[in-house]
Amino acid sequence: MRAWLLGLALLSATPALAQAEDDAAARFDRMSEQEKAQLRERLRQFKALPLDEQARIRANLARFRALPPEERARVRQNLDAFQRLSPEERQKLLAQWREFQSLPPEQRQQLRQQMREYLEANPERRRQMLENLREWRSMSREQREQMRQRLRELRERRAR
């Protein structure tokens, strides 16, 4: 009975899968040879990963594809911003993320809730944070480093 249901599910999905494969093949055909080589290399790296890591990546991709378009755009913007960071900034951010991830789930949820409540209770602060983020993203690396240096100096003066 299960095999029959699985077969029925595959048959009903076949037109959609065929269309997706046709779209992917057309996109691949339009790629430059360099892009194709990069894609093949990423595929080779993916296949070299442990199966549990491959499954995690596939699950994340499925979650991403299920997001509404505006949410996917926000995720892409965040990824672009992350990739523009210097290697040192990326490492620092990743370390902070790992530290957050190492917290017990209840504590992570509590921190998320506190941030949500803070932003909801302070709409002007939230607006200012978003404006600051837009401004930060528009800065060059040199401008960002100058700003960081000014903030360090300001913190040092306050600490005295």
Side-chain angles (χ1 to χ4, degrees):
M1 184 65 169
R2 279 183 153 166
W4 181 81
L5 287 173
L6 179 59
L8 183 61
L10 287 173
L11 284 175
S12 64
T14 301
L17 288 173
Q19 181 62 45
E21 288 174 4
D22 289 347
D23 293 346
R27 282 194 314 271
F28 186 79
D29 289 342
R30 289 191 302 268
M31 288 180 174
S32 69
E33 287 306 313
Q34 181 182 4
E35 290 170 322
K36 288 177 183 178
Q38 289 172 341
L39 185 59
R40 287 182 186 109
E41 176 58 22
R42 286 196 309 234
L43 180 59
R44 186 195 62 70
Q45 291 171 352
F46 176 78
K47 287 183 175 184
L49 293 172
L51 291 178
D52 61 330
E53 183 68 7
Q54 289 181 28
R56 187 187 65 77
I57 291 169
R58 283 190 178 104
N60 286 343
L61 185 56
R63 278 196 351 251
F64 175 77
R65 287 179 176 155
L67 292 173
E70 60 277 0
E71 194 65 14
R72 282 194 306 246
R74 188 183 64 75
V75 169
R76 282 188 182 105
Q77 283 179 333
N78 288 343
L79 180 59
D80 289 343
F82 179 78
Q83 290 173 338
R84 285 192 303 268
L85 295 174
S86 70
E88 299 81 29
E89 291 170 316
R90 281 189 219 161
Q91 288 306 314
K92 184 177 178 183
L93 191 58
L94 287 171
Q96 290 171 339
W97 174 249
R98 284 186 204 103
E99 183 179 338
F100 176 78
Q101 291 293 82
S102 71
L103 296 173
E106 307 81 39
Q107 195 172 356
R108 287 194 313 251
Q109 185 57 34
Q110 182 182 13
L111 287 171
R112 283 187 191 108
Q113 185 59 34
Q114 286 173 344
M115 180 56 98
R116 230 178 269 119
E117 288 171 4
Y118 173 78
L119 293 175
E120 288 170 6
N122 299 284
E124 179 55 30
R125 180 67 180 133
R126 179 175 189 203
R127 188 201 62 73
Q128 185 61 52
M129 285 174 66
L130 290 173
E131 181 58 35
N132 291 348
L133 181 60
R134 277 189 219 99
E135 187 177 330
W136 181 260
R137 287 178 174 167
S138 70
M139 290 180 181
S140 68
R141 265 199 188 146
E142 294 79 25
Q143 291 170 321
R144 289 180 191 168
E145 192 50 47
Q146 289 172 353
M147 182 65 75
R148 282 187 198 96
Q149 186 57 40
R150 282 189 227 138
L151 290 171
R152 280 186 215 110
E153 290 168 2
L154 183 60
R155 274 189 232 123
E156 288 172 7
R157 276 187 259 151
R158 285 182 181 167
R160 291 181 201 154

